Amino acid sequence: PERVPTAAVGPPSPRILAVPLRRHTGLITAHARPGLPPMLRVGRSLCCGVATHQPVIGPSGFRVASSASLPSSLPHVRVPRRSRLLRLSRFRTTESFKGEGLRLSTGGAASLSHPSSAEMGTEKSGDVFETTLGETASASPAAASPETSALTQLVSEVAAIRTGGLPSWLETITDPVPAGWIIPPKLPEFMASTAAAAGSGMDAGVVPNPTSELGPWHVHLDIRGPPDSGYDTAPHRVRLTFTPRYPFEPPDVHVLSHCHHALVDDDKEVAGLFYHPDNCPPAHIHRAVDPTTGREVVSEVEYGLRGLLACVHLFFARPLKIPGPDDDPRLSQDRKHLMDVWARAKASNMERERIISAYVRGGAGGGPKDPALFDAVTGWLPRWMHADLVAAVHQSREEGQGEGGTDDGAGEITLSVPAAKRLCQEVAPGVYTFPLFSEEYCDALIAEVEHFQRSGLPVRRPNSMNNYGVIVNEIGLEHMMDRLQREILGAVAEALFPAQGGGALDGHHAFIVQYKQGEDLGLDMHTDDSDVTFNVCLGKEGFTGAGLSFCGVLGGAAHRKLSVVYKHVRGQCVVHLGAQRHGADDILAGERLNLIVWNHSTLYRGTDAYKWRDVPEETSPPSPECVSFTHDRDYADYKAYPPGKEALAKTAWYPPKARQVKMK
């Protein structure tokens, strides 16, 4: 902090602040220009602000400057990866009002319209907004007072929306729930404890929220797009995350359910363009006179929950607006590209929903063999669970830490974290097993998958390494997998891997793999695109071979050292971090099918512990069982390449040339 200069503002030339940031290849620069908001850049990330007289606190918590031309906060602007459209700046709060997006007049309202009732697909009067924002919009709550807490405001708005009746496109909205886990602030007391928890030189990841009464809070929605939008066949699960700054700051928006959308990134977060006032307008604008210039500026903005819901609804209705002049060639190209990408994503999502609807509800191929497997309302039946797991669930209920379903399956079958920890057995460092499914469920799921594969409907294969099998989320089982994650897998993950997001799982990729002679025999050594992986053997009876060889965790000294060869047992589930190197040994006879669930935590994926891995230099040769012809540059030093796999040496990357690996 003592090395950071104070920004001098004024003509004739811009002044620049340059601050080195840990693990960034460049500098954060603040360009202060006379009469214009500053432009701040971290690498490719860009944020912008308006006049303020408050000290500035930078992304890492240090004081940057005290200047009339710098913004009151410098949020780190996340750069989504999919395309240049997703890399547009993420506009937040007053940083939104830099001139080209929201046209502010010195004495009047902003020239910006809220979504109309026709655009939202409803005729309810409560959904209609006035088109000027100088005063409160008709469907928005009264302006928040400084004494009104964010939680109080949210609870009141949710109650008002329910009282007035949910719009036709909004199926459910939950009460605000405090986040149980957070990314720890980079303060000494947090860093010391989290580093110890990590057990390595890396940050630990996520920690329990020590002040849950102060937020953040999650509100979940089940929402559909308008008719013929491509997102109207099934509801989409959306999470809004509010900070204590609400209603003066919009929530983070994540689309948790599976869908193909041009402006949702790999971590389920909507593109930064969503937050621009052309796409997410505030309900109120507060203005003040800047004493240094005498000009009227925006001092504060407020958002309302009803307006935010309408914006989320429109997110599934049409491409977002790209602000800027109509005659700008670069923006015109971006708009055309967005329309093309939107059309392709819409068609892909419509095809996905068509396949699921045709099989589950339309009877294609005879319809589901066992409809109960798809009934997410009833949920998981106790007879589908292993007897030891059912006993642990009942024990959780007796201890007052979980809910037990009745014998006919009514209610949730919820496992508590302490019971999950007692249920699991460690078979090697970081590798655990526990009983999950009964023989009845293993047989039923195998029969259902084989029935779907005979239906004539398109089959999506699990990943780039498996040529056989099916993604169960793509045949209508997504919501049952949601419940399995929420009621069973989440407790196990939290008990075993809390720092890696085990207690904050919010997404999954669930699929069946198949191994037999003449098809896939095994799988090369690899790590998973998963935070916590669950792998349960379904059978079939009589297979031999097909063990699962485990090595170490990426970033550890034993990453390429053999740890254990796990032998699959029908109905038993093996649990490990996605970063744990492992491979499927060749099957010798029979056929084996496994249900694999890659669990994701968007919270954990926002941490340095996920994004970066320190890779120590190997001091001894790796175990021959642990080298990978797909990923290892030095594979030929220890083994001969399998026939036809020699070309993979050109794209192999491990061991890395640097001491640190950026995961994404």
Side-chain angles (χ1 to χ4, degrees):
E2 65 273 11
R3 296 196 302 270
V4 179
T6 300
V9 182
S13 61
R15 300 289 182 170
I16 296 178
L17 298 176
V19 183
L21 294 181
R22 183 172 65 94
R23 289 179 176 167
H24 278 277
T25 57
L27 302 176
I28 174 172
T29 58
H31 301 262
R33 299 157 298 162
L36 293 174
M39 305 298 293
L40 294 113
R41 184 178 294 276
V42 184
R44 293 179 301 165
S45 302
L46 183 67
C47 52
C48 47
V50 296
T52 179
H53 299 281
Q54 302 298 321
V56 178
I57 303 300
S60 298
F62 51 75
R63 185 185 183 95
V64 175
S66 178
S67 168
S69 72
L70 292 177
S72 57
S73 62
L74 304 182
H76 178 69
V77 183
R78 190 171 174 279
V79 183
R81 296 177 296 281
R82 182 170 299 169
S83 70
R84 180 155 48 94
L85 294 169
L86 284 175
R87 291 197 297 270
L88 292 171
S89 303
R90 180 176 185 174
F91 296 92
R92 300 301 299 271
T93 64
T94 54
E95 286 81 11
S96 302
F97 300 94
K98 66 172 187 175
E100 76 271 27
L102 183 59
R103 307 297 179 187
L104 297 175
S105 60
T106 57
S111 59
L112 182 69
S113 297
H114 279 283
S116 68
S117 58
E119 289 173 322
M120 292 186 292
T122 177
E123 296 179 354
K124 294 187 177 183
S125 60
D127 294 320
V128 180
F129 294 81
E130 293 180 358
T131 57
T132 55
L133 300 179
E135 285 117 8
T136 305
S138 62
S140 301
S145 66
E147 294 78 15
T148 303
S149 70
L151 180 58
T152 301
Q153 176 100 354
L154 275 174
V155 170
S156 174
E157 290 183 285
V158 170
I161 289 171
R162 288 176 178 158
T163 300
L166 300 184
S168 58
W169 40 265
L170 182 62
E171 295 196 358
T172 62
I173 180 170
T174 67
D175 291 322
V177 176
W181 296 79
I182 62 169
I183 299 175
K186 294 187 180 299
L187 300 175
E189 59 270 25
F190 274 96
M191 295 180 72
S193 60
T194 56
S200 70
M202 299 180 296
D203 296 331
V206 302
V207 298
N209 186 357
T211 57
S212 58
E213 68 277 6
L214 299 179
W217 300 275
H218 298 315
V219 173
H220 290 85
L221 321 169
D222 288 310
I223 192 168
R224 294 176 186 262
D228 301 321
S229 64
Y231 300 92
D232 55 315
T233 303
H236 303 281
R237 190 71 165 175
V238 175
R239 184 183 66 208
L240 309 181
T241 303
F242 297 85
T243 72
R245 278 282 300 158
Y246 181 77
F248 307 108
E249 179 178 280
D252 281 335
V253 181
H254 289 81
V255 180
L256 301 182
S257 57
H258 291 265
C259 75
H260 303 281
H261 196 292
L263 293 172
V264 177
D265 72 8
D266 295 339
D267 292 331
K268 301 180 180 293
E269 190 168 12
V270 303
L273 189 60
F274 173 83
Y275 299 95
H276 191 277
D278 277 358
N279 299 303
C280 185
H284 307 276
I285 300 172
H286 303 283
R287 296 179 176 82
V289 175
D290 184 344
T292 61
T293 64
R295 299 176 57 190
E296 187 179 59
V297 297
V298 174
S299 60
E300 198 78 79
V301 297
E302 292 185 40
Y303 294 84
L305 182 58
R306 188 181 294 273
L308 289 167
L309 296 181
C311 294
V312 172
H313 176 59
L314 285 180
F315 182 72
F316 292 103
R318 66 188 185 193
L320 296 174
K321 297 178 182 178
I322 297 180
D326 294 336
D327 57 353
D328 187 312
R330 174 65 174 254
L331 294 179
S332 297
Q333 182 181 357
D334 282 344
R335 293 182 182 113
K336 182 180 183 301
H337 179 51
L338 175 56
M339 292 300 296
D340 293 340
V341 174
W342 174 272
R344 290 196 298 270
K346 173 183 174 180
S348 179
N349 196 71
M350 289 178 67
E351 175 66 4
R352 176 184 187 271
E353 294 188 354
R354 182 195 69 81
I355 293 171
I356 294 173
S357 180
Y359 183 67
V360 178
R361 294 179 287 276
K369 187 176 181 65
D370 186 351
L373 298 181
F374 298 82
D375 185 3
V377 176
T378 300
W380 288 84
L381 304 179
R383 69 173 188 267
W384 292 342
M385 301 297 183
H386 193 283
D388 292 346
L389 176 58
V390 173
V393 168
H394 287 308
Q395 188 177 26
S396 300
R397 181 171 52 178
E398 291 169 1
E399 294 172 350
Q401 296 175 322
E403 300 177 11
T406 62
D407 292 338
D408 62 358
E412 291 192 352
I413 302 177
T414 306
L415 183 67
S416 69
V417 173
K421 197 164 190 176
R422 293 191 295 266
L423 186 66
C424 295
Q425 177 185 359
E426 189 171 25
V427 296
V431 181
Y432 301 83
T433 184
F434 73 98
L436 179 55
F437 292 147
S438 67
E439 295 271 346
E440 177 184 349
Y441 184 78
C442 292
D443 289 338
L445 187 56
I446 289 175
E448 193 67 54
V449 169
E450 292 177 341
H451 179 64
F452 178 83
Q453 291 176 326
R454 293 191 298 268
S455 69
L457 293 169
V459 177
R460 284 195 62 195
R461 300 306 181 189
N463 51 60
S464 60
M465 299 182 72
N466 289 97
N467 299 308
Y468 298 88
V470 62
I471 302 175
V472 300
N473 291 338
E474 302 298 311
I475 69 172
L477 288 170
E478 177 185 352
H479 297 306
M480 287 296 284
M481 294 297 117
D482 288 342
R483 290 196 63 162
L484 182 66
Q485 183 186 72
R486 182 173 69 246
E487 298 168 17
I488 303 295
L489 307 187
V492 175
E494 182 176 350
L496 304 180
F497 304 110
Q500 289 79 19
L505 302 179
D506 53 17
H508 56 78
H509 175 57
F511 55 94
I512 300 286
V513 294
Q514 294 176 268
Y515 298 101
K516 70 176 182 179
Q517 293 292 325
E519 296 181 359
D520 286 339
L521 297 177
L523 196 62
D524 186 29
M525 279 287 165
H526 64 282
T527 57
D528 297 335
D529 182 15
S530 166
D531 300 326
V532 183
T533 296
F534 289 75
N535 184 338
V536 57
C537 180
L538 303 176
K540 301 179 179 179
E541 293 288 358
F543 71 86
T544 58
L548 197 58
S549 295
F550 283 97
C551 307
V553 175
L554 179 62
H559 181 52
R560 297 202 294 175
K561 295 291 186 180
L562 183 65
S563 176
V564 67
V565 179
Y566 173 77
K567 299 298 183 182
H568 285 290
V569 178
R570 200 170 192 225
Q572 291 284 124
C573 183
V574 62
V575 190
H576 57 89
L577 290 175
Q580 188 115 19
R581 180 173 280 217
H582 59 285
D585 301 336
D586 286 354
I587 193 167
L588 302 179
E591 181 178 4
R592 174 170 69 85
L593 288 85
N594 280 48
L595 172 67
I596 299 176
V597 184
W598 288 354
N599 294 270
H600 303 140
S601 169
T602 55
L603 184 69
Y604 175 59
R605 292 187 170 212
T607 67
D608 284 348
Y610 173 78
K611 296 175 183 176
W612 295 89
R613 298 281 171 153
D614 295 320
V615 182
E617 184 176 354
E618 292 179 335
T619 57
S620 61
S623 301
E625 302 89 340
C626 292
V627 293
S628 166
F629 59 78
T630 306
H631 304 291
D632 291 349
R633 295 186 294 115
D634 57 356
Y635 182 87
D637 295 343
Y638 307 102
K639 285 184 176 181
Y641 274 96
K645 302 296 184 181
E646 296 83 359
L648 292 173
K650 297 179 181 179
T651 56
W653 64 277
Y654 196 92
K657 297 180 180 180
R659 291 293 301 274
Q660 196 175 68
V661 177
K662 185 175 183 180
M663 302 302 293
K664 284 191 177 181

